Amino acid sequence: MKTKTIFILGLLMLFTLTSVQAGPIVELSVDDTWEYTGAETYDYTVIDKQDFANGEEYVELIKIETNEIIDVVNPYLNVTDASEKNVILDLQATFTSEVSRWHTARGNFLAILEKAGTFTLNTTIIMNVTLERTDYYDTGTVTYKRYYVNFDLQSPIVTGNPIYVDRITCWDFYPINLTLIDVTTYRIDGSNEWISNYKGTDTAVKNVTIDPHERTITFLYYDYGIGAYDIPFSVDGMKQYLWVFANDIGLPIYKETTTLSLSPLALTSLNIEKYDLTAFSVALSNFEFTRRTSWALFSILGLFAFYFIRRRR
């Protein structure tokens, strides 16, 4: 066999092996963009990447710029303290900016969110014995920070095993001495891999479900001698998520958000919002062809080249 023939067949074999061994995307990069479309269209752009401490290790997170607004539910608390005071906290906060929004480097899991704004707080104190009532109105600035204790949120995608993670939300109010801490535990599950057709291309996907499991709110309020209290809360009204996560894109191709509602008999889902990945530009994505398509394409090219060379000889 001539040297030229061996060289051409060697190149074809190299391309074939390279296409097969290329793994799925493992992280998103700066300048990557994507969008989801449902009732509205949301655009996302990666603008920064940094390492954050996660226990004794560091985890790389990406900062995202987006037109999606994450709603914050203003808490309403009703507590009776040890001195038989009935304390009602009714908060109305208006957020004017998102200071930062960081996601895990793969999976678009929201890991850190910070907001800033103003608040009006109506504190009602009722003495249960005398039924005397006093209202206090406060205004000022509020900072809001939401973060996860463990950033390893994507492991169910890889292993399929469920994990439980705590999401902590802190409200700090100035100039009054009030802090609210919301700790919600989520269960994240990953399914076995299956094949979905995305815009005419078969791709390997896994279902990922994110369910609120339990919730506790702690408030510390010393200006009126109220003290600190831990209050168990229901997950009623919280969000539940289903993602169909594509290996070759590094993003979910489908997202479904539902609102949980507790009935006397069962846990039901309301207000279902569905979103499809309608556009993306991910630098490291290998989504053009599945592995099977790559094998078939390069095998055909190889046979054609071999036949062409044989004819010329």
Side-chain angles (χ1 to χ4, degrees):
M1 187 179 292
K2 294 183 178 180
T3 304
K4 183 178 180 181
T5 303
I6 296 175
F7 177 73
I8 293 175
L9 290 178
L11 283 178
L12 290 171
M13 184 173 293
L14 176 62
F15 286 136
T16 303
L17 291 175
T18 301
S19 69
V20 172
Q21 292 176 350
I25 181 174
V26 295
E27 63 180 23
L28 300 171
S29 304
V30 174
D31 295 331
D32 285 347
T33 63
W34 61 93
E35 72 175 21
Y36 288 101
T37 301
E40 299 183 38
T41 297
Y42 299 113
D43 301 308
Y44 306 82
T45 302
V46 182
I47 60 175
D48 194 10
K49 180 180 287 190
Q50 289 186 22
D51 289 332
F52 286 79
N54 187 196
E56 297 181 355
E57 299 180 351
Y58 281 86
V59 175
E60 194 170 51
L61 301 182
I62 54 176
K63 189 173 185 180
I64 287 181
E65 189 175 64
T66 176
N67 63 331
E68 178 192 14
I69 303 297
I70 295 181
D71 293 329
V72 175
V73 178
N74 297 325
Y76 175 91
L77 300 177
N78 192 335
V79 181
T80 301
D81 72 359
S83 61
E84 295 189 340
K85 288 187 295 188
N86 183 221
V87 182
I88 302 172
L89 299 178
D90 187 9
L91 169 69
Q92 295 298 321
T94 302
F95 293 97
T96 55
S97 65
E98 288 189 0
V99 178
S100 65
R101 179 170 173 169
W102 295 87
H103 296 241
T104 53
R106 179 182 180 185
N108 197 20
F109 285 97
L110 180 60
I112 299 174
L113 174 69
E114 292 181 317
K115 289 174 175 278
T118 60
F119 75 90
T120 299
L121 177 67
N122 176 20
T123 304
T124 302
I125 301 177
I126 302 174
M127 293 299 297
N128 293 341
V129 177
T130 64
L131 297 182
E132 294 178 357
R133 169 174 172 160
T134 305
D135 288 326
Y136 299 93
Y137 291 91
D138 294 287
T139 60
T141 60
V142 57
T143 58
Y144 173 95
K145 184 173 182 178
R146 175 183 292 178
Y147 63 94
Y148 285 85
V149 175
N150 183 0
F151 291 151
D152 189 24
L153 303 177
Q154 63 267 34
S155 62
I157 299 176
V158 179
T159 65
N161 298 324
I163 62 172
Y164 289 87
V165 293
D166 287 337
R167 187 190 74 182
I168 298 179
T169 302
C170 293
W171 306 68
D172 287 310
F173 302 91
Y174 306 96
I176 66 174
N177 190 15
L178 172 62
T179 298
L180 291 174
I181 303 173
D182 180 339
V183 180
T184 301
T185 302
Y186 284 85
R187 176 183 169 121
I188 303 178
D189 275 285
S191 73
N192 291 329
E193 186 176 283
W194 56 285
I195 301 298
S196 174
N197 187 280
Y198 173 74
K199 295 187 176 181
T201 302
D202 287 342
T203 187
V205 299
K206 289 185 178 182
N207 287 354
V208 177
T209 56
I210 308 171
D211 298 316
H213 184 67
E214 60 184 10
R215 185 184 186 195
T216 300
I217 293 182
T218 300
F219 78 89
L220 304 91
Y221 197 17
Y222 297 108
D223 279 6
Y224 305 109
I226 297 172
Y229 295 91
D230 294 331
I231 310 167
F233 265 69
S234 168
V235 297
D236 186 17
M238 298 196 70
K239 300 293 186 181
Q240 178 187 54
Y241 306 94
L242 165 65
W243 291 1
V244 179
F245 197 99
N247 291 345
D248 293 343
I249 305 177
L251 291 167
I253 59 175
Y254 173 80
K255 299 168 65 176
E256 183 175 290
T257 301
T258 60
T259 302
L260 296 179
S261 177
L262 292 174
S263 69
L265 298 178
L267 185 66
T268 58
S269 298
L270 305 172
N271 304 323
I272 300 177
E273 302 172 89
K274 300 178 181 181
Y275 301 94
D276 293 297
L277 182 68
T278 48
F280 69 94
S281 176
V282 179
L284 300 179
S285 175
N286 295 320
F287 186 66
E288 282 77 11
F289 302 102
T290 61
R291 294 184 179 185
R292 182 181 303 171
T293 306
S294 298
W295 267 110
L297 175 63
F298 286 110
S299 296
I300 292 172
L301 288 176
L303 289 174
F304 176 79
F306 184 73
Y307 174 75
F308 178 75
I309 294 169
R310 287 285 299 252
R311 288 197 59 185
R312 292 197 63 181
R313 289 181 60 188

